[in-house]
Structures are given as C-alpha cells and as structure tokens.
Amino acid sequence: MGSNARQMGFLRTRRFLVLGWLLALARPAAGAWTFTEVAATVGFNYQHGFSGTPADLAQQQTWTISGGAAAADYDRDGDVDVYAVRGNVGPNLLFQNDGAGNFTEVGAAAGVAGAPVAGAGPVFADLDGDGWLDLLVGGVDGSAAAIYRNNADGTFQDVSLAAGFTPFGGTFSMALADFDHDDDLDIAAVHWAFDLRVTLWENDGVGAFTDITAASGLQVGSIYGFSPMFSDIDGDGWVDLLVAADFGTSRVFRNQTNGTFAEITTAVIDDENGMGAAAFDYDNDGDVDWLVTSIWDPNQVAEGNWGTSGNRLYRNLGNGVFEDVTTPAGVREGYWGWGACAQDLDQDGHTDLFHTNGFDEGVATEFIADPSRLFRAQGNSTFTESAAALGVVDSGQGRGLLCFDYDGDGDLDVFVANNGEAPKLFRNDDPAGGSLRVRLTSASGNSEGIGAVVRMTIGATTQMREIRAGTNFASAEPAIAHFGTGLAATVDEIRVEWPDGQVTTQSSVAVGQEIVIPKEQPAPVPGAGLPALAILFVGLAVLGGRRMTAVP
C-alpha cells in the first residue's frame, strides 16, 4: 500500500472516529432504542406532488399511488446518496451525502433532474459493467422510462434512446439481476394499469436492452404489477422472479435456466391487493421467504374495490413452494400497505419488518391517516408491532421506502417517500446490538455481485442475505448486506455464494465495520495478454477521454 493510500485510510478512520464521538454526544443513553425524525434537518427539503386536475379516474389513481426513491453511493466516495422523484410539481432530485449524513441537492448539475414529469421507481445499478452505478427511472402518467449513464465524474448522460429500454407510461417498479448467467444485469419491469404484464429486458453486456418478454414465458395474462423481485427461492443458483401485484394477480415464476420462466403460483398466493414486498429469511432456516403488503381494513368492510384481509407472509418450504404463516407470525394488520423493508433494525440477529401505508381517495377514509408499521422480530418467528413505541410516527401518504445507513454509524435508518407530501427520515438511535456490513465487488460486468447470497455465521446461527438491485415498491436500497450481530464481537464466518457458483469465505471477522469482498478473477490464459491489451486500447479510444476517478 502506498503512502497516499495509507494517509487516505488514516483520514477516513479518523473521520469515522470523530463522527462516532459526535453522534454519541447527541443521542440518547445506551439502551433507550428509538427513532428520531430528521428529514428537514439533514437537507431533504422538498415536496412530492401533482398540479392540475386529473383528466379521469385512471390518471387520478396514478397520481395517488406513484412516487419513490433510490439510495446508493453513485459517486463512490464511501457514503450513500439519495435520488427522489417529484411528481409533476418540479424536477426530480439527487441528494449528495457529505459523509456525515447531510445532503445537498445536485440533480440539475448532475444531469438527472429531467423535465417535471411523473417519474417512479428509480434504481441505481451498473448497467454497462464499468464499475459505476447508472440510474434507471420509471415513468407513469404517460412518461417514458429513462436510463442515465454514469460519467464517472459526478454527472450522468441520458442514454434512453440508445439503450433501447422503451417501456412507456406505466412503469412503477423495476428489479435487476443476471437471470441468464451472462454476467450482466437484466431488467424486470411492472406496469400497473398501463401494460398489464411483467416485461423482461435482456442486457447486451454494455447497457443496451432488448425486450424478450414474449420469449421468456412471462406473458401469462393480466398482472397488475407493483413490486417485482429477483430471488433464488429454490436454491439452485438461478434467480427466480416474485411479483407482488394488485387485484389477486401476484405471481411466482421459476427460472428454467434456459432463458425462460415457468409460472408456479399456487392457491396459497392469495393476497388480495399485493403492493409492496420483501424477500428475506424470516426464520433463519437458510431460504428466502416472501412478505407481500396488502390491505387490512380495520372495519372489515370494503367500501371500494379492495380486499380486507391484510398482508401476507409466505414461508418457503425450502424448494420454492410457499405456505401462509401470516397469522401466527403476527404481521397481518398493516392497513393500506405499500413499500416494505426487511432488515434487522435493532441488530439482534433477527430480521424486522417496516412498511409504509396510506390512501387518500374517494371513500377510503379510514386510510387517509393510517400509521406506518414496524413489526419487531421476537426471535421465535413472530413479530410485535412497535412503531409508535419506537418513535416511528408517520400517518402520511407513504409509498416508497428505503432502509439504509445515511449517517455512517452502522445501523439502518428509515426514509419514507410520501405521495403529495414531504418525505420523512427516521434516524435509528442506539439499537443494543452491533452489526457487520458486507459489500461485494467484481471486475466483471456484474460489478456489485447482484444475485449473490451472503451467509454470516455466529455460533450455531447462520443468517443469509441476497444482494439485490431494485428491492421495494417504487424504491431501491443499496446493494449492501447488513447483518445484526447482537452482542458478539466476532463473526465466525462470512460465506459469499456468487451467481456463477464461486464461493468466497472469510473467518473470524470483527463486527462494527463494513467489509468489501472482491470476487476472484480467473487466472489469465497463457498467450492471451496481447489480445487483452488490444481490447484495452480500443476501450480507451471508445471512452474518448472520460475521466475515471479512483475508488476511495
């Protein structure tokens, strides 16, 4: 390691020590776990909304349910930034983190503000395999989706037309993964009320896309899709596709490993109005379970075209077949649920659930001010609703949701993207347990290891996380595996199962840090150096002077 690198590491360590000392002075005494709302304080001073009078009921509903945000380190400076869509009242916004959890809006300067159009479901992901996160933004109310290519200098370029990604008018949410094992990220998009199906877009390796929906097996009738999610539900190393969808149309698709999917939805999948979703191992048995947020009507009377029976928690039996454990788990009563996150918020080794909710239209009066829900895991496959007790008081029109560490203190905070209102950011203050964060890197096309499974073992307990891009209703969290470690000081083992089957392990890892695990690259083939060098020169010529910034 050179002197500059050592100096950089020392300065970063000192910065985090000082930050941790300041945070300790400003927060409640240890043991008093709570959340504090700080959105305006740290720089999130904006309103989402739509101006004008909707032309018809369809447009009114689109305005009422859209929104969202995405969080990621787009500028590779070591902290997490936020992109938020605005409705039609102003341009979309990019908030740059200063490293201490204060945000400055730079959307116009970065080239991602766009016109004041109805964006939805943004996602950061490396589409062209250059190691820098690009930005996808869905579109509703007649607005086309957009792709912004990261220029590696703090700015982006709109490459929507060249990329060939052309869904128009009703793209609420997107998920990305390497479904066909060719080492680049493909896109699944859902289109509630505009194009009633899931569309699948194949990446050519450099960020250009082809619509392969018809050949993929995903055209199975009307799907009022809200939240797609790639997840390996049967453990065969190939990501499958879960779709939370409205009006009883949620679907489960198994990857056939040949470029196609087969629908395997059973009668167990009976959520009435699937909207948000979270795929996670709620019982720590090593496979992925599925939460779908829906509508629980407190008076059990559907005054409109909605169900009343609430959320669903589908437990994976280990082979991609689900059973309904909603009632014994205690997560049914969520009001009008939308975005959901499954994360260990108190860092005790058991995954908690948070979801937004709300609806403000017509006769749905009981949902105008319904409270967000925080279901705290009890460690025995049950949950206790604890939002108000922990200070997460939000009765606004929550839609998108991000659980991420905005201030770099090691625990996960909660950002709520409200519809027609200002956002909220709930700072997580002093959970009792510690944490370990794992970020993956690869020199190949899938640079964040999207689709990899990370397992952390402490004693007899193993937790698992999937690395994903696009993880929520109209929102996307950073591709970082966050593990609660309780009171343990050391993790026995971290095991990474990469999408191509390669396995990387690390033993005796200290908690209280974020570690970066690189994917080992295959040894060079003898005699292959000259062609590789020629390819490098061609690549430099194509870049044409693009400034590349070293990773801090």
Side-chain angles (χ1 to χ4, degrees):
M1 181 183 291
S3 60
N4 289 339
R6 284 195 298 269
Q7 183 179 15
M8 185 178 295
F10 171 75
L11 291 174
R12 176 175 290 179
T13 300
R14 186 175 66 178
R15 184 186 76 175
F16 282 124
L17 288 173
V18 172
L19 174 60
W21 178 70
L22 292 173
L23 289 170
L25 291 178
R27 295 188 173 178
W33 183 40
T34 187
F35 288 83
T36 304
E37 206 287 309
V38 296
T41 303
V42 303
F44 292 115
N45 297 296
Y46 75 94
Q47 291 274 137
H48 175 277
F50 289 88
S51 63
T53 302
D56 50 33
L57 178 60
Q59 186 176 53
Q60 178 180 328
Q61 290 183 332
T62 296
W63 288 6
T64 300
I65 62 183
S66 63
D73 182 11
Y74 81 91
D75 52 4
R76 300 203 327 192
D77 64 352
D79 49 45
V80 181
D81 313 294
V82 173
Y83 182 84
V85 298
R86 189 84 181 277
N88 70 5
V89 297
N92 296 331
L93 306 169
L94 177 62
F95 294 93
Q96 188 176 43
N97 194 331
D98 69 354
N102 300 301
F103 293 85
T104 301
E105 205 288 305
V106 297
V112 294
V117 296
V123 183
F124 284 104
D126 184 4
L127 301 179
D128 52 8
D130 66 351
W132 292 82
L133 299 181
D134 309 298
L135 176 64
L136 295 84
V137 184
V140 298
D141 195 25
S143 297
I147 290 181
Y148 296 94
R149 183 172 185 250
N150 195 325
N151 292 324
D153 60 0
T155 70
F156 294 79
Q157 178 183 359
D158 187 340
V159 296
S160 304
L161 293 179
F165 182 58
T166 57
F168 191 87
T171 304
F172 275 83
S173 304
M174 295 172 283
L176 295 94
D178 180 16
F179 89 94
D180 51 4
H181 280 202
D182 63 353
D183 201 34
D184 53 38
L185 297 182
D186 312 296
I187 304 172
V190 292
H191 316 278
W192 184 88
F194 187 86
D195 183 356
L196 298 181
R197 59 178 182 155
V198 181
T199 56
L200 184 64
W201 302 79
E202 185 177 31
N203 194 335
D204 69 352
V206 292
F209 294 88
T210 301
D211 184 349
I212 61 168
T213 307
S216 70
L218 293 178
Q219 289 184 308
V220 295
S222 296
I223 298 177
Y224 290 80
F226 274 134
S227 300
M229 186 170 295
F230 284 109
S231 177
D232 183 8
I233 61 174
D234 54 7
D236 66 351
W238 294 74
V239 290
D240 310 295
L241 182 61
L242 303 170
V243 182
D246 208 354
F247 305 122
T249 63
S250 292
R251 295 287 185 267
V252 179
F253 296 96
R254 174 170 283 151
N255 193 326
Q256 300 292 90
T257 76
N258 61 359
T260 69
F261 291 83
E263 189 196 348
I264 60 169
T265 313
T266 68
V268 170
I269 310 302
D270 64 351
D271 47 275
E272 295 156 324
N273 302 97
M275 291 178 285
F280 66 110
D281 183 9
Y282 95 99
D283 50 4
N284 279 352
D285 66 349
D287 53 39
V288 178
D289 312 296
W290 187 28
L291 173 82
V292 176
T293 63
S294 189
I295 301 171
W296 176 76
D297 196 320
N299 65 15
Q300 290 297 290
V301 175
E303 293 88 354
N305 61 340
W306 60 78
T308 63
S309 64
N311 300 330
R312 296 292 191 275
L313 178 56
Y314 301 119
R315 178 177 179 269
N316 193 337
L317 298 179
N319 56 358
V321 176
F322 294 100
E323 65 175 357
D324 189 331
V325 295
T326 309
T327 297
V331 296
R332 184 178 298 278
E333 298 180 3
Y335 296 91
W336 196 298
W338 290 103
C341 84
Q343 295 283 2
D344 189 354
L345 298 175
D346 58 1
Q347 304 188 149
D348 65 351
H350 302 282
T351 304
D352 310 296
L353 296 169
F354 184 92
H355 76 76
T356 65
N357 46 34
F359 197 67
D360 184 7
E361 186 179 300
V363 295
T365 56
E366 60 262 57
F367 304 106
I368 293 175
D370 55 358
S372 291
R373 310 299 268 171
L374 196 165
F375 295 102
R376 187 177 184 183
Q378 300 301 296
N380 58 1
S381 299
T382 70
F383 298 82
T384 299
E385 205 292 306
S386 307
L390 293 171
V392 189
V393 180
D394 181 23
S395 57
Q397 292 296 309
R399 297 297 183 267
L401 175 65
L402 303 171
C403 291
F404 73 105
D405 184 7
Y406 86 91
D407 52 5
D409 65 350
D411 56 40
L412 296 176
D413 312 290
V414 178
F415 180 93
V416 178
N418 284 314
N419 176 281
E421 300 170 347
K424 289 193 174 182
L425 175 63
F426 295 97
R427 188 186 67 207
N428 191 345
D429 290 336
D430 296 304
S435 70
L436 180 71
R437 286 84 61 203
V438 180
R439 185 163 53 88
L440 306 182
T441 63
S442 174
S444 58
N446 183 4
S447 64
E448 290 188 295
I450 302 300
V453 175
V454 183
R455 302 185 193 272
M456 184 204 72
T457 299
I458 298 176
T461 300
T462 298
Q463 301 178 49
M464 67 90 71
R465 303 285 188 270
E466 289 183 315
I467 303 296
R468 301 196 188 99
T471 56
N472 208 342
F473 169 76
S475 303
E477 296 167 353
I480 300 172
H482 176 277
F483 293 97
T485 56
L487 301 179
T490 304
V491 168
D492 296 330
E493 182 183 74
I494 293 291
R495 175 185 172 92
V496 179
E497 300 163 5
W498 299 89
D500 65 358
Q502 182 175 311
V503 174
T504 304
T505 61
Q506 291 190 11
S507 301
S508 300
V509 180
V511 306
Q513 62 173 323
E514 178 179 303
I515 64 172
V516 178
I517 299 180
K519 186 176 187 293
E520 294 181 6
Q521 299 303 309
V525 177
L530 186 58
L533 188 61
I535 292 172
L536 173 62
F537 282 122
V538 171
L540 290 173
V542 171
L543 286 172
R546 252 177 91 188
R547 184 170 70 87
M548 304 298 288
T549 304
V551 180

